[in-house]
Amino acid sequence: DADVTQTPRNRITKTGKRIMLECSQTKGHDRMYWYRQDPGLGLRLIYYSFDVKDINKGEISDGYSVSRQAQAKFSLSLESAIPNQTALYFCATSDARTSGSVEETQYFGPGTRLLVL
Amino acid sequence: RKEVEQDPGPFNVPEGATVAFNCTYSNSASQSFFWYRQDCRKEPKLLMSVYSSGNEDGRFTAQLNRASQYISLLIRDSKLSDSATYLCVVTHGSSNTGKLIFGQGTTLQVKP
């Protein structure tokens, strides 16, 4: 079984709809992240969480919200989806003990392809 | 200016070729550096960390030049399976933020 899972894997929705993307991990990591990937722009950080009570905005948090329901679960919500939120969304985890070092690794889920019509 | 810049390519090379990718970063306070690999429509995965003195892992060699804020990845004896997008990644500043900054990636296509 994959260590980091995301649901759904693909989603088509309409402008104005609320949508939630979910992420679960079995790696026991305390840190979790949400990114979006757009062609030519690379991965951009939306939100990140260092533990259940610690949520931080990334570089492109407008239009998104998150919830860290447990150490293993981190969900991303689009309150009112718009077409420019069409992208590939990745969840990732990392171990705080390696943070900032050359040993740091972020482990990514398989991604959610979201299309907003 | 992007914090991490890479030539998007694509680099089209024959099997067995040696190919090098370069990356520049703007934040001189960045402390840790990495190369991630991303296959088409898949998630990024760590390929290798980049050590200050440079490091090698099989056919892959990574180099860091802090003075020029420049990172490189050299792939020798390219295989068809090396075809992917290679992401240059640096830590955000000097503090223990856990935040990584990703370049847009360089696409490599190895041809038979």
Side-chain angles (χ1 to χ4, degrees):
Chain A
D1 287 342
D3 294 321
V4 185
T5 57
Q6 293 182 233
T7 56
R9 295 293 312 280
N10 296 278
R11 181 73 183 265
I12 300 173
T13 192
K14 294 182 179 179
T15 297
K17 295 290 187 182
R18 184 179 188 275
I19 182 171
M20 179 181 289
L21 309 183
E22 301 194 11
C23 176
S24 295
Q25 53 113 348
T26 58
K27 298 189 74 68
H29 290 165
D30 39 11
R31 297 187 171 191
M32 297 186 74
Y33 310 81
W34 275 105
Y35 294 90
R36 66 177 278 176
Q37 187 173 35
D38 300 274
L41 294 178
L43 283 154
R44 293 182 292 166
L45 184 63
I46 305 172
Y47 270 96
Y48 60 105
S49 169
F50 284 175
D51 65 42
V52 175
K53 297 180 181 179
D54 181 57
I55 304 287
N56 304 281
K57 292 183 178 180
E59 62 178 298
I60 53 162
S61 59
D62 287 349
Y64 301 95
S65 62
V66 291
S67 173
R68 185 83 184 265
Q69 302 94 321
Q71 188 199 35
K73 296 184 183 296
F74 192 35
S75 60
L76 175 72
S77 293
L78 287 67
E79 298 300 327
S80 180
I82 56 177
N84 78 359
Q85 291 178 312
T86 292
L88 178 56
Y89 290 84
F90 286 107
C91 172
T93 75
S94 69
D95 184 344
R97 292 172 295 178
T98 64
S99 182
S101 77
V102 293
E103 305 306 320
E104 175 169 11
T105 303
Q106 287 194 8
Y107 297 87
F108 286 80
T112 295
R113 292 192 176 275
L114 176 65
L115 173 61
V116 183
L117 300 175
Chain B
R1 182 187 173 191
K2 294 179 182 177
E3 286 195 63
V4 178
E5 297 210 51
Q6 297 180 248
D7 179 348
F11 285 60
N12 295 299
V13 303
E15 270 187 292
T18 295
V19 61
F21 306 139
N22 302 320
C23 165
T24 57
Y25 60 96
S26 62
N27 190 338
S28 60
S30 294
Q31 291 295 315
S32 300
F33 310 89
F34 312 89
W35 284 100
Y36 276 66
R37 170 188 169 133
Q38 185 174 23
D39 293 304
C40 188
R41 303 172 75 86
K42 296 287 185 69
E43 71 273 23
K45 294 183 180 180
L46 179 68
L47 176 67
M48 59 195 300
S49 301
V50 185
Y51 293 87
S52 295
S53 55
N55 49 300
E56 188 174 305
D57 182 1
R59 297 181 294 108
F60 298 83
T61 301
Q63 296 282 350
L64 169 64
N65 183 322
R66 285 188 186 272
S68 301
Q69 296 180 204
Y70 169 98
I71 306 159
S72 66
L73 177 68
L74 182 77
I75 305 175
R76 291 182 299 277
D77 189 23
S78 299
K79 311 292 185 190
L80 295 175
S81 58
D82 294 335
S83 297
T85 296
Y86 291 84
L87 307 175
C88 176
V89 184
V90 308
T91 51
H92 178 69
S94 59
S95 62
N96 183 17
T97 65
K99 290 168 63 176
L100 299 180
I101 308 298
F102 288 78
Q104 67 175 75
T106 298
T107 299
L108 172 66
Q109 190 69 242
V110 182
K111 306 286 189 183

